[in-house]
Amino acid sequence: MQNSEAMALSAALLAVAGELTQRIHEGVVARGFEGLRPAHGFAFARLSPAGATVTELASHLGVTKQAASQLVDEIVRKGYAERRPHPEDARARLIVLTGRGRACTRAAEESAADAVRAWGEVIGDEQVRWLGRQLTHLAPYGPIRPAW
């Protein structure tokens, strides 16, 4: 693959990822969950289903512990998460999604499904499934981080 082809592919993948993130966010807002940014969704993905400490969340997001703590303060204040005593570490607090946070996560899943279905209208459902399989082979395992 030539450098120009590799750059074009990279740009297309980044554009699709950005568009997908935006469509999920817009779908969440349309379903009545306001006051959130796409970065919150990346945090919700780590907090669902069992919760996480601020340190674990910071590692997942690729940010400082202070930045993760500020994000947690924000989603707690908005009613999407709560702090609980950690069941195994008395010094730590576990951040877990509230019912509102879990409902928002379901709205994000529905929004993602809507976006992917729209891809099927463009390239066909079988091609979307093929794309999913190929990307699964290429994608690194681990946290999905926002592009800060």
PDB file of all heavy atoms in Angstrom, residues 117-141:
ATOM      1  N   ARG A 117     -26.891   0.660  11.235  1.00  0.00           N
ATOM      2  CA  ARG A 117     -27.925   0.295  10.257  1.00  0.00           C
ATOM      3  C   ARG A 117     -27.886   1.215   9.043  1.00  0.00           C
ATOM      4  O   ARG A 117     -28.064   0.775   7.903  1.00  0.00           O
ATOM      5  CB  ARG A 117     -29.315   0.329  10.900  1.00  0.00           C
ATOM      6  CG  ARG A 117     -29.748  -0.992  11.488  1.00  0.00           C
ATOM      7  CD  ARG A 117     -31.217  -1.008  11.857  1.00  0.00           C
ATOM      8  NE  ARG A 117     -31.541  -0.115  12.960  1.00  0.00           N
ATOM      9  CZ  ARG A 117     -31.366  -0.409  14.248  1.00  0.00           C
ATOM     10  NH1 ARG A 117     -30.860  -1.577  14.599  1.00  0.00           N
ATOM     11  NH2 ARG A 117     -31.693   0.449  15.183  1.00  0.00           N
ATOM     12  N   ALA A 118     -27.606   2.484   9.286  1.00  0.00           N
ATOM     13  CA  ALA A 118     -27.510   3.438   8.178  1.00  0.00           C
ATOM     14  C   ALA A 118     -26.350   3.087   7.248  1.00  0.00           C
ATOM     15  O   ALA A 118     -26.435   3.301   6.040  1.00  0.00           O
ATOM     16  CB  ALA A 118     -27.354   4.866   8.716  1.00  0.00           C
ATOM     17  N   TRP A 119     -25.289   2.514   7.781  1.00  0.00           N
ATOM     18  CA  TRP A 119     -24.184   2.074   6.929  1.00  0.00           C
ATOM     19  C   TRP A 119     -24.665   0.995   5.973  1.00  0.00           C
ATOM     20  O   TRP A 119     -24.234   0.930   4.825  1.00  0.00           O
ATOM     21  CB  TRP A 119     -23.029   1.525   7.745  1.00  0.00           C
ATOM     22  CG  TRP A 119     -22.372   2.508   8.666  1.00  0.00           C
ATOM     23  CD1 TRP A 119     -22.539   3.863   8.705  1.00  0.00           C
ATOM     24  CD2 TRP A 119     -21.428   2.196   9.688  1.00  0.00           C
ATOM     25  NE1 TRP A 119     -21.765   4.409   9.692  1.00  0.00           N
ATOM     26  CE2 TRP A 119     -21.072   3.410  10.306  1.00  0.00           C
ATOM     27  CE3 TRP A 119     -20.858   1.020  10.151  1.00  0.00           C
ATOM     28  CZ2 TRP A 119     -20.153   3.461  11.361  1.00  0.00           C
ATOM     29  CZ3 TRP A 119     -19.944   1.073  11.184  1.00  0.00           C
ATOM     30  CH2 TRP A 119     -19.600   2.283  11.776  1.00  0.00           C
ATOM     31  N   GLY A 120     -25.556   0.131   6.459  1.00  0.00           N
ATOM     32  CA  GLY A 120     -26.098  -0.936   5.617  1.00  0.00           C
ATOM     33  C   GLY A 120     -26.844  -0.385   4.414  1.00  0.00           C
ATOM     34  O   GLY A 120     -26.848  -0.998   3.345  1.00  0.00           O
ATOM     35  N   GLU A 121     -27.474   0.764   4.569  1.00  0.00           N
ATOM     36  CA  GLU A 121     -28.175   1.392   3.454  1.00  0.00           C
ATOM     37  C   GLU A 121     -27.205   1.892   2.387  1.00  0.00           C
ATOM     38  O   GLU A 121     -27.566   2.029   1.223  1.00  0.00           O
ATOM     39  CB  GLU A 121     -29.043   2.540   3.969  1.00  0.00           C
ATOM     40  CG  GLU A 121     -30.157   2.074   4.891  1.00  0.00           C
ATOM     41  CD  GLU A 121     -30.877   3.225   5.577  1.00  0.00           C
ATOM     42  OE1 GLU A 121     -30.656   4.400   5.192  1.00  0.00           O
ATOM     43  OE2 GLU A 121     -31.642   2.944   6.516  1.00  0.00           O
ATOM     44  N   VAL A 122     -25.967   2.143   2.793  1.00  0.00           N
ATOM     45  CA  VAL A 122     -24.960   2.665   1.865  1.00  0.00           C
ATOM     46  C   VAL A 122     -24.166   1.531   1.215  1.00  0.00           C
ATOM     47  O   VAL A 122     -23.995   1.508  -0.003  1.00  0.00           O
ATOM     48  CB  VAL A 122     -24.005   3.648   2.584  1.00  0.00           C
ATOM     49  CG1 VAL A 122     -22.888   4.110   1.657  1.00  0.00           C
ATOM     50  CG2 VAL A 122     -24.781   4.831   3.140  1.00  0.00           C
ATOM     51  N   ILE A 123     -23.692   0.589   2.028  1.00  0.00           N
ATOM     52  CA  ILE A 123     -22.816  -0.461   1.479  1.00  0.00           C
ATOM     53  C   ILE A 123     -23.409  -1.859   1.560  1.00  0.00           C
ATOM     54  O   ILE A 123     -22.795  -2.805   1.081  1.00  0.00           O
ATOM     55  CB  ILE A 123     -21.421  -0.450   2.156  1.00  0.00           C
ATOM     56  CG1 ILE A 123     -21.515  -0.794   3.651  1.00  0.00           C
ATOM     57  CG2 ILE A 123     -20.714   0.867   1.916  1.00  0.00           C
ATOM     58  CD1 ILE A 123     -20.160  -0.995   4.319  1.00  0.00           C
ATOM     59  N   GLY A 124     -24.576  -2.000   2.167  1.00  0.00           N
ATOM     60  CA  GLY A 124     -25.222  -3.305   2.280  1.00  0.00           C
ATOM     61  C   GLY A 124     -24.908  -3.968   3.612  1.00  0.00           C
ATOM     62  O   GLY A 124     -23.815  -3.822   4.156  1.00  0.00           O
ATOM     63  N   ASP A 125     -25.878  -4.698   4.128  1.00  0.00           N
ATOM     64  CA  ASP A 125     -25.731  -5.327   5.439  1.00  0.00           C
ATOM     65  C   ASP A 125     -24.594  -6.346   5.488  1.00  0.00           C
ATOM     66  O   ASP A 125     -23.874  -6.424   6.478  1.00  0.00           O
ATOM     67  CB  ASP A 125     -27.046  -6.009   5.853  1.00  0.00           C
ATOM     68  CG  ASP A 125     -28.145  -4.995   6.140  1.00  0.00           C
ATOM     69  OD1 ASP A 125     -27.822  -3.814   6.404  1.00  0.00           O
ATOM     70  OD2 ASP A 125     -29.325  -5.387   6.097  1.00  0.00           O
ATOM     71  N   GLU A 126     -24.425  -7.124   4.430  1.00  0.00           N
ATOM     72  CA  GLU A 126     -23.348  -8.121   4.426  1.00  0.00           C
ATOM     73  C   GLU A 126     -21.980  -7.437   4.476  1.00  0.00           C
ATOM     74  O   GLU A 126     -21.083  -7.899   5.164  1.00  0.00           O
ATOM     75  CB  GLU A 126     -23.446  -9.045   3.204  1.00  0.00           C
ATOM     76  CG  GLU A 126     -22.406 -10.149   3.195  1.00  0.00           C
ATOM     77  CD  GLU A 126     -22.339 -10.969   4.485  1.00  0.00           C
ATOM     78  OE1 GLU A 126     -23.398 -11.282   5.072  1.00  0.00           O
ATOM     79  OE2 GLU A 126     -21.213 -11.292   4.921  1.00  0.00           O
ATOM     80  N   GLN A 127     -21.839  -6.329   3.759  1.00  0.00           N
ATOM     81  CA  GLN A 127     -20.567  -5.597   3.787  1.00  0.00           C
ATOM     82  C   GLN A 127     -20.312  -5.007   5.181  1.00  0.00           C
ATOM     83  O   GLN A 127     -19.170  -4.960   5.629  1.00  0.00           O
ATOM     84  CB  GLN A 127     -20.551  -4.491   2.729  1.00  0.00           C
ATOM     85  CG  GLN A 127     -20.406  -5.011   1.320  1.00  0.00           C
ATOM     86  CD  GLN A 127     -19.045  -5.665   1.107  1.00  0.00           C
ATOM     87  OE1 GLN A 127     -18.882  -6.863   1.260  1.00  0.00           O
ATOM     88  NE2 GLN A 127     -18.067  -4.858   0.779  1.00  0.00           N
ATOM     89  N   VAL A 128     -21.370  -4.569   5.851  1.00  0.00           N
ATOM     90  CA  VAL A 128     -21.216  -4.047   7.217  1.00  0.00           C
ATOM     91  C   VAL A 128     -20.744  -5.168   8.142  1.00  0.00           C
ATOM     92  O   VAL A 128     -19.834  -4.971   8.954  1.00  0.00           O
ATOM     93  CB  VAL A 128     -22.528  -3.407   7.727  1.00  0.00           C
ATOM     94  CG1 VAL A 128     -22.429  -3.076   9.214  1.00  0.00           C
ATOM     95  CG2 VAL A 128     -22.863  -2.160   6.921  1.00  0.00           C
ATOM     96  N   ARG A 129     -21.340  -6.348   8.020  1.00  0.00           N
ATOM     97  CA  ARG A 129     -20.899  -7.482   8.843  1.00  0.00           C
ATOM     98  C   ARG A 129     -19.440  -7.832   8.535  1.00  0.00           C
ATOM     99  O   ARG A 129     -18.651  -8.101   9.439  1.00  0.00           O
ATOM    100  CB  ARG A 129     -21.813  -8.685   8.644  1.00  0.00           C
ATOM    101  CG  ARG A 129     -23.154  -8.532   9.365  1.00  0.00           C
ATOM    102  CD  ARG A 129     -23.956  -9.824   9.352  1.00  0.00           C
ATOM    103  NE  ARG A 129     -24.524 -10.122   8.052  1.00  0.00           N
ATOM    104  CZ  ARG A 129     -25.648  -9.580   7.569  1.00  0.00           C
ATOM    105  NH1 ARG A 129     -26.341  -8.728   8.286  1.00  0.00           N
ATOM    106  NH2 ARG A 129     -26.095  -9.903   6.376  1.00  0.00           N
ATOM    107  N   TRP A 130     -19.072  -7.838   7.239  1.00  0.00           N
ATOM    108  CA  TRP A 130     -17.694  -8.121   6.843  1.00  0.00           C
ATOM    109  C   TRP A 130     -16.746  -7.077   7.441  1.00  0.00           C
ATOM    110  O   TRP A 130     -15.695  -7.416   7.990  1.00  0.00           O
ATOM    111  CB  TRP A 130     -17.583  -8.122   5.307  1.00  0.00           C
ATOM    112  CG  TRP A 130     -16.182  -8.345   4.830  1.00  0.00           C
ATOM    113  CD1 TRP A 130     -15.562  -9.542   4.618  1.00  0.00           C
ATOM    114  CD2 TRP A 130     -15.218  -7.323   4.524  1.00  0.00           C
ATOM    115  NE1 TRP A 130     -14.275  -9.328   4.197  1.00  0.00           N
ATOM    116  CE2 TRP A 130     -14.034  -7.972   4.131  1.00  0.00           C
ATOM    117  CE3 TRP A 130     -15.252  -5.934   4.539  1.00  0.00           C
ATOM    118  CZ2 TRP A 130     -12.891  -7.278   3.767  1.00  0.00           C
ATOM    119  CZ3 TRP A 130     -14.109  -5.248   4.179  1.00  0.00           C
ATOM    120  CH2 TRP A 130     -12.949  -5.922   3.799  1.00  0.00           C
ATOM    121  N   LEU A 131     -17.140  -5.806   7.350  1.00  0.00           N
ATOM    122  CA  LEU A 131     -16.334  -4.733   7.911  1.00  0.00           C
ATOM    123  C   LEU A 131     -16.139  -4.939   9.413  1.00  0.00           C
ATOM    124  O   LEU A 131     -15.029  -4.793   9.937  1.00  0.00           O
ATOM    125  CB  LEU A 131     -16.988  -3.381   7.631  1.00  0.00           C
ATOM    126  CG  LEU A 131     -16.291  -2.155   8.201  1.00  0.00           C
ATOM    127  CD1 LEU A 131     -14.901  -1.990   7.609  1.00  0.00           C
ATOM    128  CD2 LEU A 131     -17.149  -0.917   7.933  1.00  0.00           C
ATOM    129  N   GLY A 132     -17.199  -5.300  10.092  1.00  0.00           N
ATOM    130  CA  GLY A 132     -17.103  -5.554  11.529  1.00  0.00           C
ATOM    131  C   GLY A 132     -16.113  -6.657  11.850  1.00  0.00           C
ATOM    132  O   GLY A 132     -15.306  -6.541  12.781  1.00  0.00           O
ATOM    133  N   ARG A 133     -16.155  -7.734  11.071  1.00  0.00           N
ATOM    134  CA  ARG A 133     -15.214  -8.839  11.305  1.00  0.00           C
ATOM    135  C   ARG A 133     -13.777  -8.388  11.062  1.00  0.00           C
ATOM    136  O   ARG A 133     -12.871  -8.725  11.829  1.00  0.00           O
ATOM    137  CB  ARG A 133     -15.561 -10.031  10.413  1.00  0.00           C
ATOM    138  CG  ARG A 133     -16.842 -10.744  10.818  1.00  0.00           C
ATOM    139  CD  ARG A 133     -17.031 -12.058  10.058  1.00  0.00           C
ATOM    140  NE  ARG A 133     -17.085 -11.906   8.611  1.00  0.00           N
ATOM    141  CZ  ARG A 133     -18.191 -11.654   7.901  1.00  0.00           C
ATOM    142  NH1 ARG A 133     -19.358 -11.532   8.516  1.00  0.00           N
ATOM    143  NH2 ARG A 133     -18.138 -11.546   6.586  1.00  0.00           N
ATOM    144  N   GLN A 134     -13.554  -7.642   9.991  1.00  0.00           N
ATOM    145  CA  GLN A 134     -12.194  -7.200   9.671  1.00  0.00           C
ATOM    146  C   GLN A 134     -11.664  -6.236  10.732  1.00  0.00           C
ATOM    147  O   GLN A 134     -10.513  -6.358  11.161  1.00  0.00           O
ATOM    148  CB  GLN A 134     -12.153  -6.542   8.281  1.00  0.00           C
ATOM    149  CG  GLN A 134     -12.580  -7.446   7.141  1.00  0.00           C
ATOM    150  CD  GLN A 134     -11.899  -8.802   7.168  1.00  0.00           C
ATOM    151  OE1 GLN A 134     -10.681  -8.887   7.243  1.00  0.00           O
ATOM    152  NE2 GLN A 134     -12.683  -9.865   7.130  1.00  0.00           N
ATOM    153  N   LEU A 135     -12.486  -5.313  11.145  1.00  0.00           N
ATOM    154  CA  LEU A 135     -12.035  -4.355  12.160  1.00  0.00           C
ATOM    155  C   LEU A 135     -11.773  -5.041  13.493  1.00  0.00           C
ATOM    156  O   LEU A 135     -10.865  -4.646  14.234  1.00  0.00           O
ATOM    157  CB  LEU A 135     -13.041  -3.216  12.308  1.00  0.00           C
ATOM    158  CG  LEU A 135     -13.137  -2.267  11.118  1.00  0.00           C
ATOM    159  CD1 LEU A 135     -14.260  -1.265  11.312  1.00  0.00           C
ATOM    160  CD2 LEU A 135     -11.808  -1.563  10.886  1.00  0.00           C
ATOM    161  N   THR A 136     -12.538  -6.081  13.799  1.00  0.00           N
ATOM    162  CA  THR A 136     -12.303  -6.836  15.025  1.00  0.00           C
ATOM    163  C   THR A 136     -10.921  -7.489  14.998  1.00  0.00           C
ATOM    164  O   THR A 136     -10.238  -7.560  16.020  1.00  0.00           O
ATOM    165  CB  THR A 136     -13.408  -7.900  15.225  1.00  0.00           C
ATOM    166  OG1 THR A 136     -14.655  -7.216  15.333  1.00  0.00           O
ATOM    167  CG2 THR A 136     -13.170  -8.718  16.474  1.00  0.00           C
ATOM    168  N   HIS A 137     -10.483  -7.924  13.838  1.00  0.00           N
ATOM    169  CA  HIS A 137      -9.145  -8.508  13.710  1.00  0.00           C
ATOM    170  C   HIS A 137      -8.050  -7.453  13.880  1.00  0.00           C
ATOM    171  O   HIS A 137      -6.962  -7.756  14.363  1.00  0.00           O
ATOM    172  CB  HIS A 137      -8.962  -9.193  12.352  1.00  0.00           C
ATOM    173  CG  HIS A 137      -9.777 -10.424  12.181  1.00  0.00           C
ATOM    174  ND1 HIS A 137      -9.661 -11.525  12.996  1.00  0.00           N
ATOM    175  CD2 HIS A 137     -10.727 -10.733  11.270  1.00  0.00           C
ATOM    176  CE1 HIS A 137     -10.504 -12.459  12.598  1.00  0.00           C
ATOM    177  NE2 HIS A 137     -11.171 -11.994  11.558  1.00  0.00           N
ATOM    178  N   LEU A 138      -8.327  -6.241  13.443  1.00  0.00           N
ATOM    179  CA  LEU A 138      -7.323  -5.183  13.473  1.00  0.00           C
ATOM    180  C   LEU A 138      -7.294  -4.395  14.777  1.00  0.00           C
ATOM    181  O   LEU A 138      -6.250  -3.873  15.156  1.00  0.00           O
ATOM    182  CB  LEU A 138      -7.578  -4.193  12.326  1.00  0.00           C
ATOM    183  CG  LEU A 138      -7.404  -4.730  10.922  1.00  0.00           C
ATOM    184  CD1 LEU A 138      -7.849  -3.678   9.907  1.00  0.00           C
ATOM    185  CD2 LEU A 138      -5.962  -5.132  10.664  1.00  0.00           C
ATOM    186  N   ALA A 139      -8.441  -4.274  15.405  1.00  0.00           N
ATOM    187  CA  ALA A 139      -8.565  -3.391  16.566  1.00  0.00           C
ATOM    188  C   ALA A 139      -7.774  -3.932  17.752  1.00  0.00           C
ATOM    189  O   ALA A 139      -7.803  -5.123  18.038  1.00  0.00           O
ATOM    190  CB  ALA A 139     -10.038  -3.250  16.951  1.00  0.00           C
ATOM    191  N   PRO A 140      -7.085  -3.045  18.451  1.00  0.00           N
ATOM    192  CA  PRO A 140      -6.389  -3.493  19.657  1.00  0.00           C
ATOM    193  C   PRO A 140      -7.410  -3.809  20.747  1.00  0.00           C
ATOM    194  O   PRO A 140      -8.485  -3.207  20.803  1.00  0.00           O
ATOM    195  CB  PRO A 140      -5.541  -2.280  20.040  1.00  0.00           C
ATOM    196  CG  PRO A 140      -6.255  -1.112  19.448  1.00  0.00           C
ATOM    197  CD  PRO A 140      -6.918  -1.624  18.200  1.00  0.00           C
ATOM    198  N   TYR A 141      -7.061  -4.762  21.552  1.00  0.00           N
ATOM    199  CA  TYR A 141      -7.922  -5.084  22.681  1.00  0.00           C
ATOM    200  C   TYR A 141      -7.574  -4.145  23.810  1.00  0.00           C
ATOM    201  O   TYR A 141      -6.416  -3.842  24.041  1.00  0.00           O
ATOM    202  CB  TYR A 141      -7.747  -6.543  23.090  1.00  0.00           C
ATOM    203  CG  TYR A 141      -8.206  -7.478  22.011  1.00  0.00           C
ATOM    204  CD1 TYR A 141      -7.298  -8.092  21.159  1.00  0.00           C
ATOM    205  CD2 TYR A 141      -9.550  -7.704  21.793  1.00  0.00           C
ATOM    206  CE1 TYR A 141      -7.719  -8.917  20.141  1.00  0.00           C
ATOM    207  CE2 TYR A 141      -9.994  -8.518  20.783  1.00  0.00           C
ATOM    208  CZ  TYR A 141      -9.061  -9.131  19.957  1.00  0.00           C
ATOM    209  OH  TYR A 141      -9.482  -9.949  18.937  1.00  0.00           O
TER     210      TYR A 141
END
